[in-house]
Amino acid sequence: MTGFLGTLEKLAPVALICGMGVLFARRKIIDATLSKAFSEFAFRLAIPAYLLGSFYRADLRQVFNPAAIAAYATTAVLGMTVVATVARTVTRCDARATALRIMAACQVNTAYFAIPVFLLLFGDATPIFPVILLQVCVLTVVVIAIMESTGAPTDSEAATPAGGVRRGLRAAVTTPIVVACYAGIAANLGHLSVPGWATDTLSMTGAAASPVALFALGLHLGGSGIRLRGTSSDEYWLIGMKCVLFPLLAFTIARCVFGLGAPWLGYLTVIAAMPAPQNLFIFAAQYDTDVDLAASVVIKTSVVALLLLPMWVAIAH
């Protein structure tokens, strides 16, 4: 019980900062539409600064644990297979809708949710770095490639599956977060000497990443609200898969297949328990696919994930 209460205490800042965003939006103190501005600051500057500095200082041999990466990759592949099977055979989704559901159930909100949570729970967010690279450079590329190659192409390159893959790869590897990760790894491996003023700038900017990201999420939640009536079985299935089945799958595979113990068993379970990625709605809007479903899943998994996190931490321990 002490451990459970301790986890709740550590997660209290997450709930409070996010809750303040909700309150400010509901009270009209800050317009909820400004959540995009806060999110852009976090996504394009604060979080990349944090990741760049952290990768530069990290012990990469500990961060890139082969067994842990293999366990999470296995979890992601199995999860994607399950979601694709259900989407195609049960709900009769087309390729784009299936890809969107895979993203909703098997990708996680690393930038706006996982980094703050890991800093509070473990005092270190480096364990999620391999997941960020796997998610952005592999899983997102798959989703973008499907989206690009199955709709009406906008140019000759996107008209073929290979063109969709190339387009998806370019879009994924040029995001600020991925560029920051690569730059940090390169500087670390190259033993690059970085001036003190530069590392201080990264530290100061990166320190804003967690509170700004959480506040932006709260503004978004406060402005959108949570719709309970009319929730479809498809939504319930995706929320259950993301918040319950996916972390349970990660825990089982990490422990029973790869024999992982502390601390990586806890890391992988908690990572998998993060909510659906916030850019799910962006993808849905961009490709005009299940926009309302995507928005609802992002909001509801954020709330459910926060409520269930103490349970997953206790199980992993």
Side-chain angles (χ1 to χ4, degrees):
M1 181 62 70
T2 302
F4 184 80
L5 293 178
T7 300
L8 287 178
E9 289 181 359
K10 290 182 178 180
L11 288 173
V14 175
L16 290 174
I17 296 173
C18 190
M20 289 302 294
V22 173
L23 179 64
F24 275 45
R26 291 300 180 109
R27 296 280 185 177
K28 308 297 183 183
I29 299 173
I30 296 179
D31 195 312
T33 59
L34 291 178
S35 64
K36 179 175 175 56
F38 285 95
S39 297
E40 287 293 309
F41 169 79
F43 182 75
R44 297 188 181 277
L45 181 60
I47 292 171
Y50 170 79
L51 292 172
L52 177 56
S54 298
F55 264 121
Y56 174 69
R57 295 186 298 267
D59 182 349
L60 297 181
R61 289 174 297 182
Q62 292 185 358
V63 172
F64 291 95
N65 183 307
I69 294 174
Y72 194 85
T74 302
T75 301
V77 170
L78 289 178
M80 292 169 69
T81 302
V82 170
V83 174
T85 301
V86 172
R88 298 292 281 181
T89 61
V90 179
T91 55
R92 302 295 181 182
C93 295
D94 60 18
R96 283 192 168 187
T98 299
L100 192 76
R101 282 157 177 76
I102 288 174
M103 188 176 187
C106 302
Q107 293 198 31
V108 299
N109 190 335
T110 53
Y112 302 103
F113 208 98
I115 288 177
V117 166
F118 266 70
L119 288 174
L120 290 169
L121 285 179
F122 307 110
D124 183 15
T126 55
I128 73 170
F129 294 169
V131 174
I132 291 177
L133 295 178
L134 173 68
Q135 178 166 293
V136 176
C137 298
V138 180
L139 302 182
T140 300
V141 169
V142 172
V143 172
I144 294 176
I146 294 173
M147 295 290 195
E148 290 286 348
S149 59
T150 56
T154 57
D155 53 50
S156 58
E157 181 190 24
T160 65
V165 172
R166 287 193 295 270
R167 194 181 181 101
L169 185 60
R170 282 200 304 268
V173 300
T174 56
T175 58
I177 288 178
V178 176
V179 172
C181 291
Y182 288 152
I185 292 172
N188 188 313
L189 294 176
H191 303 289
L192 183 66
S193 179
V194 179
W197 60 264
T199 56
D200 290 344
T201 301
L202 291 174
S203 297
M204 181 179 293
T205 308
S210 294
V212 171
L214 288 172
F215 189 75
L217 181 62
L219 282 177
H220 176 72
L221 295 177
S224 302
I226 299 178
R227 172 179 54 81
L228 296 179
R229 289 186 178 182
T231 300
S232 66
S233 58
D234 206 8
E235 284 183 54
Y236 281 125
W237 146 248
L238 290 174
I239 294 168
M241 178 67 190
K242 178 75 233 37
C243 296
V244 179
L245 297 180
F246 193 65
L248 183 61
L249 185 63
F251 174 83
T252 303
I253 290 175
R255 183 178 182 182
C256 300
V257 178
F258 289 88
L260 292 174
W264 279 102
L265 179 62
Y267 292 160
L268 295 182
T269 305
V270 173
I271 289 171
M274 296 295 106
Q278 199 164 4
N279 60 354
L280 176 71
F281 176 76
I282 297 174
F283 276 82
Q286 181 176 349
Y287 294 103
D288 193 24
T289 303
D290 292 326
V291 178
D292 291 338
L293 174 71
S296 180
V297 168
V298 170
I299 293 171
K300 292 174 183 177
T301 56
S302 298
V303 175
V304 174
L306 184 59
L307 294 175
L308 294 182
L309 265 179
M311 178 192 74
W312 289 117
V313 173
I315 290 175
H317 285 175

